[in-house]
Amino acid sequence: MRQRFTKMQGAGNDFVVIDATRAPFALDAAQIRRLGDRRFGVGCDQLLVVEPADGEDHDFRYRIFNGGDGSEVQQCGNGARCFVRFCVDHGLTAADTIRVRTVNALLTLRLMPDGRVRVDMGAPRFAPADLPLRPEHLDALPTQLGAPLGLVSMGNPHAVWPVADVDLAPVETFAPQVQWAAAFPQGVNVGFLQVLGRDRVRLRVYERGAGETLACGTGACAAVVAGIRAGLLDGAVEVQTRGGLLRIEWDGQGSVFMTGPAETVFEGEIEL
């Protein structure tokens, strides 16, 4: 079968986007992995699927699959920004603000006049049931970096560790040990946070099913929330990822807001 697609990126986090508003999405895990393969396919961190709404409280359904293993995941913040840019650019909506339903959340996405996108990511959650988490196994986590700064769900689970220099953080050795540890029965995204000031940080994130990506929107939200709760950060923070700059805002109570870029790279077709 031939599949049309759009390649997009948000702060270096790259995506293949498929319009399934006119025909049902029918790719299996092997075909998704083929699309995600950077040598034999298109290459992407995640595949994003635009589907028609199935309720009155949203405009579209937003589905996310890891390009590395083909698994469906709950959330992707950088992908959400590309999602609304795709919908506007392809004439699926005339609105600059839309609401989308993911597997487990309702998001509000706004395309701003300067081309950036602001996303209401919803409120962070901390209870073990929301991560999910087995607290009795936390003592068995690797001790190289000490205790995590925070465990936060932004619709998907994150564990954040503070580091003195993200360039020297043991991302490729430490993160795989933590990601599927007994404490995290569904795995966890692992963040490495360097605080530069109360309004500036640097961040690297090792994602479930993808490994390290150039940026992770939910990871940036989780890291800033953890830093605010620890008293290290103020309510508006510039997050420098390896792929670009994100702005994260949280008042300590309600929704987390993320603002950042969303760009189309190219469009095409591939035989699957």
Side-chain angles (χ1 to χ4, degrees):
M1 63 173 289
R2 294 190 67 80
Q3 177 65 60
R4 289 198 58 80
F5 66 87
T6 299
K7 178 71 180 282
M8 304 188 73
Q9 64 89 15
N13 199 182
D14 65 337
F15 309 100
V16 167
V17 187
I18 291 178
D19 181 356
T21 60
R22 297 174 180 86
F25 177 71
L27 300 185
D28 60 26
Q31 291 170 315
I32 293 171
R33 291 194 298 271
R34 169 74 187 283
L35 273 171
D37 193 298
R38 297 187 183 280
R39 292 178 175 83
F40 298 102
V42 180
C44 65
D45 293 321
Q46 279 89 27
L47 170 71
L48 312 180
V49 182
V50 184
E51 293 186 334
D54 56 5
E56 295 183 356
D57 63 345
H58 57 286
D59 301 294
F60 299 96
R61 288 187 65 210
Y62 167 35
R63 298 179 67 189
I64 309 130
F65 298 83
N66 281 325
D69 62 12
S71 62
E72 187 166 9
V73 295
Q74 303 101 323
Q75 187 59 282
C76 178
N78 288 327
R81 297 199 313 276
C82 290
F83 189 101
V84 66
R85 166 64 74 183
F86 177 92
C87 290
V88 171
D89 288 352
H90 286 78
L92 300 180
T93 181
D96 58 10
T97 300
I98 63 173
R99 302 186 81 192
V100 300
R101 172 71 67 183
T102 69
V103 170
N104 62 358
L106 186 65
L107 306 179
T108 301
L109 321 177
R110 180 188 173 212
L111 181 60
M112 300 172 67
D114 64 4
R116 294 183 302 162
V117 176
R118 190 170 194 254
V119 182
D120 179 344
M121 296 292 294
R125 299 188 294 275
F126 311 101
D130 291 323
L131 285 164
L133 174 69
R134 291 178 179 148
E136 67 273 17
H137 293 293
L138 286 175
D139 289 343
L141 291 176
T143 59
Q144 179 182 357
L145 297 179
L149 181 66
L151 303 173
V152 182
S153 173
M154 290 302 309
N156 55 355
H158 291 268
V160 182
W161 269 266
V163 295
D165 186 340
V166 290
D167 293 328
L168 302 178
V171 175
E172 295 296 332
T173 55
F174 181 83
Q177 297 178 58
V178 171
Q179 192 158 71
W180 296 104
F184 306 109
Q186 295 182 17
V188 71
N189 301 291
V190 184
F192 301 84
L193 176 70
Q194 177 185 353
V195 176
L196 302 176
R198 296 195 63 84
D199 62 350
R200 295 180 302 119
V201 301
R202 298 176 68 205
L203 180 70
R204 293 171 68 180
V205 180
Y206 193 96
E207 298 191 48
R208 293 181 303 174
E212 185 178 9
T213 56
L214 291 181
C216 176
T218 57
C221 293
V224 169
V225 165
I228 291 172
R229 280 166 59 89
L232 302 176
L233 300 174
D234 293 331
V237 179
E238 300 288 336
V239 180
Q240 182 64 58
T241 71
R242 301 180 89 183
L245 191 67
L246 302 174
R247 179 177 175 83
I248 309 298
E249 300 166 82
W250 187 49
D251 64 7
Q253 298 181 22
S255 290
V256 179
F257 292 90
M258 173 184 60
T259 304
E263 299 178 359
T264 295
V265 181
F266 61 88
E267 298 187 342
E269 290 187 356
I270 186 172
E271 184 73 34
L272 295 174

